[in-house]
Amino acid sequence: MTAAVTTPHPMLAVAPQVREALAAGRPVVALESTIISHGMPYPQNVAMAREVEQIVRDGGAVPATIAILDGRPTVGLSDEQLEMFGQDTGIRKVSVRDLAHVVATGVHGATTVASTMRIAALAGIRLFVTGGLGGVHQGAESSMDVSADLTELSRTEVAVVSAGVKSILDIGRTLEVLETLEVPVVGYGTDEFPSFFSRSSGLAVPMRVDTPEEAARLMRASFDLGVGTGISIANPVPAEDEMARDDIDGVIARALAECAEQGVTGKDITPFLLGRLVELSEGRSLETNLALVRNNARVGTAIAVAFAAL
Ligand code: PSU
Ligand code: MN
């Protein structure tokens, strides 16, 4: 069966090269903007965004970084727009619950995994590359802090390539919730769910693929069956770039303690923790973060190319 060519939703601004690729059934890779505005410090965030786009091009696909510009959900940012999202510290972090308000008020917004998935689907893009997923926060049994990324994975047909979930979150409970939400969690070349900075978590993945073609066939089967969910493709950080679990866990414990002491809540928690990890590890965690995003871009692009060829 060939991929259905979809017309992007009329409220989206889709960059010409993305529109042409979608119309021709050529591979497109969606990328998020919260990772730029709230996930990494400037200027490494902008360099990362540009480099990832280039990796996608070199792999034979068209990159589509997604954000809200003046209230317009935009698919495919210019170089100047990437720079603006990296520099402007006032840009709002936009999950799906915030989308309508940001559109209605005409402001800029950086999209999370959840809202990037939703806009990608509205554009007709089926594959999205990021760094790490949101998930169940530690202590969620009392705070009820569970990322809407999981909700969105349960209801939007986009495959998301990530390096798993970092242990600022409760990885075991995140996997339990994904199971409840009927989301396939697939190890890419691994039987173990990766913990972002490290290849291991001690937790098994329920299924595994080893090639871009296998991942593409899984996507095709899921979408053709009408399962209705996304797919989490968990791609471990390359061995040469990973951090020792003990090293990163110590830093994470300190960042979590500071978060509680300072009374950080809600959507500010994840950006606060990410920022403190970089500072407390003296930049070491940023190096690993950059390496795993590049690796996800390479693997995700190969999957998008294989998917377009089916
Ligand atoms: N994890 C990262 N980098 C990130 C994020 C998570 O390693 O940039 C961002 C993503 O945009 C993700 C969001 O969708 O944080 C989750 O936020 P929350 O936990 O508030 O749902
Ligand atoms: Mn939350």
Side-chain angles (χ1 to χ4, degrees):
M1 198 183 281
T2 52
V5 173
T6 27
T7 311
H9 189 284
M11 286 170 79
L12 306 183
V14 183
Q17 68 278 16
V18 175
R19 188 176 287 275
E20 283 158 24
L22 289 169
R26 285 188 279 114
V28 177
V29 172
L31 302 160
E32 62 156 311
S33 44
T34 291
I35 190 175
I36 307 173
S37 65
H38 295 79
M40 290 182 189
Y42 181 81
Q44 289 94 337
N45 54 0
V46 176
M48 176 279 304
R50 293 196 176 126
E51 198 185 345
V52 163
E53 289 208 344
Q54 194 55 45
I55 290 169
V56 172
R57 284 187 205 100
D58 291 346
V62 175
T65 302
I66 291 178
I68 320 289
L69 280 151
D70 295 316
R72 195 94 195 269
T74 302
V75 182
L77 298 190
S78 69
D79 231 42
E80 300 74 59
Q81 289 164 341
L82 291 179
E83 180 73 29
M84 193 256 289
F85 274 85
Q87 266 197 48
D88 185 342
T89 52
I91 287 189
R92 186 160 153 193
K93 176 182 164 192
V94 174
S95 192
V96 176
R97 61 111 187 242
D98 309 293
L99 269 178
H101 188 251
V102 169
V103 169
T105 54
V107 298
H108 295 331
T111 52
T112 62
V113 168
S115 55
T116 303
M117 283 181 77
R118 182 66 67 93
I119 294 168
L122 291 175
I125 303 172
R126 295 289 160 212
L127 189 118
F128 163 29
V129 165
T130 188
L133 300 177
V136 178
H137 281 260
Q138 295 200 29
E141 57 274 38
S142 58
S143 70
M144 297 189 73
D145 190 354
V146 178
S147 175
D149 292 355
L150 303 188
T151 317
E152 195 61 22
L153 275 164
S154 77
R155 55 174 294 178
T156 294
E157 292 180 310
V158 170
V160 183
V161 178
S162 76
V165 165
K166 56 173 76 66
S167 51
I168 62 172
L169 301 172
D170 185 325
I171 303 176
R173 285 188 170 92
T174 300
L175 290 172
E176 287 294 344
V177 170
L178 284 168
E179 179 176 358
T180 303
L181 292 174
E182 310 175 330
V183 178
V185 176
V186 191
Y188 190 87
T190 182
D191 295 313
E192 193 174 350
F193 190 70
S195 60
F196 194 87
F197 295 115
S198 145
R199 296 174 63 81
S200 67
S201 66
L203 295 155
V205 281
M207 58 199 93
R208 165 181 179 148
V209 297
D210 287 286
T211 64
E213 291 71 27
E214 283 175 28
R217 280 198 295 274
L218 176 71
M219 289 167 64
R220 194 70 269 157
S222 186
F223 303 155
D224 286 349
L225 277 167
V227 169
T229 68
I231 300 172
S232 166
I233 300 175
N235 181 39
V237 60
E240 61 270 27
D241 300 304
E242 78 174 329
M243 292 178 77
R245 294 258 303 276
D246 283 350
D247 290 349
I248 189 64
D249 282 351
V251 173
I252 286 173
R254 276 184 66 190
L256 284 168
E258 289 182 12
C259 190
E261 276 160 27
Q262 296 181 31
V264 180
T265 56
K267 65 193 274 194
D268 298 329
I269 291 177
T270 299
F272 174 86
L273 292 172
L274 295 174
R276 287 303 285 150
L277 293 187
V278 175
E279 290 160 5
L280 292 168
S281 71
E282 289 163 351
R284 177 70 186 83
S285 71
L286 182 58
E287 292 306 315
T288 298
N289 197 344
L290 291 168
L292 67 85
V293 172
R294 288 184 203 112
N295 185 48
N296 291 345
R298 281 188 288 270
V299 166
T301 302
I303 295 171
V305 168
F307 183 71
L310 286 179

